[in-house]
Amino acid sequence: MESHRWLPLEANPDVTNQFLKQLGIHPSWQFVDVYGMEPELLSMVPRPVCAILLLFPVTEKYETFRTEEEEKIKAQGQEVKPSVYFMKQTISNACGTIGLIHAIANNRDKINFETDSSLKKFLDDSMPMSPEERAKYLETYEAIRVTHESSAHEGQTEAPSIDEKVDLHFIALVNIDGNLYELDGRKPFPINHGQSSDDTFLEDAVEVCKKFMERDPDELRFNAIALAAA
């Protein structure tokens, strides 16, 4: 299924901000590090925050949980507002880019785009599409692929070879119409994590991040960055 393969991105604000700039996003919103989940460390994050990207390890424990969660939601149902922009991931290692697209697409009312923004064009074109069609469109959308590739080489660590198996994965957390959604292109649908608001979004999103960490207490490879007003 995943015949397309990109280089992985780092969860590094310098890399993601440069990426957004190249995609034509005005720097009125910038990614910043979330240094920890404790209140005093969260107080260092500028407000308001409109999205969180979480990088986490895909372990056996996580995959077991993911299957159970999917079955539970399919059985019980959940509310997903029609305004949620969600896309599937069909390109290996594109989760960082898909996380960025989810973060920006679901905050379009707040984001300022440059006139020739390649990301705005992608979003305008893909709005009427299904999550699967959006994934296919990204496979052929050269402007984003080329930008992703140059950003993947920008990180502080050397980019791994394109064939190396990467077990780290990005998801986006966003507040849409008063609900906190987890957007992960590997999952069949968005996950509604309950009520949130612009004021409490960072704390609410951190509670979701903590659950990821609690499921894998032996793992240290977690990293969160916040899209905050600059």
Side-chain angles (χ1 to χ4, degrees):
M1 175 177 142
E2 293 192 347
S3 52
H4 296 261
R5 186 180 280 274
W6 291 3
L7 284 167
L9 284 186
E10 267 186 38
N12 170 340
D14 295 339
V15 171
T16 43
N17 289 332
Q18 185 57 28
F19 190 9
L20 289 182
K21 186 180 170 189
Q22 289 173 317
L23 291 175
I25 308 293
H26 189 270
S28 50
W29 291 82
Q30 295 273 284
F31 277 102
V32 296
D33 281 308
V34 177
Y35 289 108
M37 305 293 167
E38 298 77 31
E40 60 274 20
L41 292 171
L42 292 180
S43 69
M44 295 163 64
V45 178
R47 311 289 176 117
V49 169
C50 70
I52 294 280
L53 291 189
L54 175 68
L55 184 71
F56 65 94
V58 174
T59 62
E60 220 168 286
K61 282 180 189 165
Y62 174 73
E63 291 293 62
T64 305
F65 167 77
R66 184 169 74 104
T67 309
E68 289 167 0
E69 177 189 57
E70 188 180 317
E71 285 166 4
K72 188 177 161 191
I73 290 173
K74 281 180 175 166
Q76 296 178 357
Q78 64 168 353
E79 184 195 18
V80 175
K81 301 271 172 72
S83 53
V84 176
Y85 180 103
F86 177 66
M87 67 183 290
K88 300 282 288 171
Q89 179 181 343
T90 53
I91 305 166
S92 288
N93 299 337
C95 54
T97 293
I98 288 169
L100 284 176
I101 293 172
H102 279 143
I104 300 297
N106 289 294
N107 285 292
R108 292 184 67 164
D109 54 332
K110 302 182 180 81
I111 304 288
N112 296 314
F113 295 92
E114 308 294 357
T115 40
D116 57 348
S117 166
S118 56
L119 182 52
K120 183 173 189 305
K121 183 180 183 313
F122 177 84
L123 294 179
D124 289 343
D125 292 349
S126 63
M127 270 299 164
M129 297 179 184
S130 70
E132 291 74 20
E133 288 166 343
R134 289 167 180 164
K136 281 274 166 240
Y137 188 43
L138 183 63
E139 288 177 13
T140 61
Y141 200 81
E142 277 299 288
I144 293 181
R145 185 189 66 78
V146 170
T147 310
H148 173 105
E149 198 136 301
S150 69
S151 298
H153 289 289
E154 285 287 312
Q156 292 165 349
T157 50
E158 195 182 330
S161 92
I162 204 154
D163 296 317
E164 203 173 305
K165 186 93 180 83
V166 175
D167 62 350
L168 293 172
H169 186 59
F170 273 102
I171 56 163
L173 298 168
V174 287
N175 166 33
I176 305 164
D177 298 336
N179 280 291
L180 174 61
Y181 290 96
E182 171 192 334
L183 303 170
D184 176 352
R186 287 179 74 226
K187 293 187 175 179
F189 33 67
I191 309 293
N192 185 338
H193 284 286
Q195 289 185 314
S196 187
S197 69
D198 288 345
D199 293 339
T200 63
F201 169 69
L202 178 59
E203 283 73 16
D204 297 336
V206 160
E207 287 308 311
V208 175
C209 295
K210 282 180 183 171
K211 286 180 189 156
F212 277 78
M213 297 161 90
E214 285 159 9
R215 277 193 291 270
D216 261 308
D218 303 331
E219 269 290 351
L220 299 171
R221 295 174 299 164
F222 292 93
N223 198 350
I225 55 177
L227 186 56

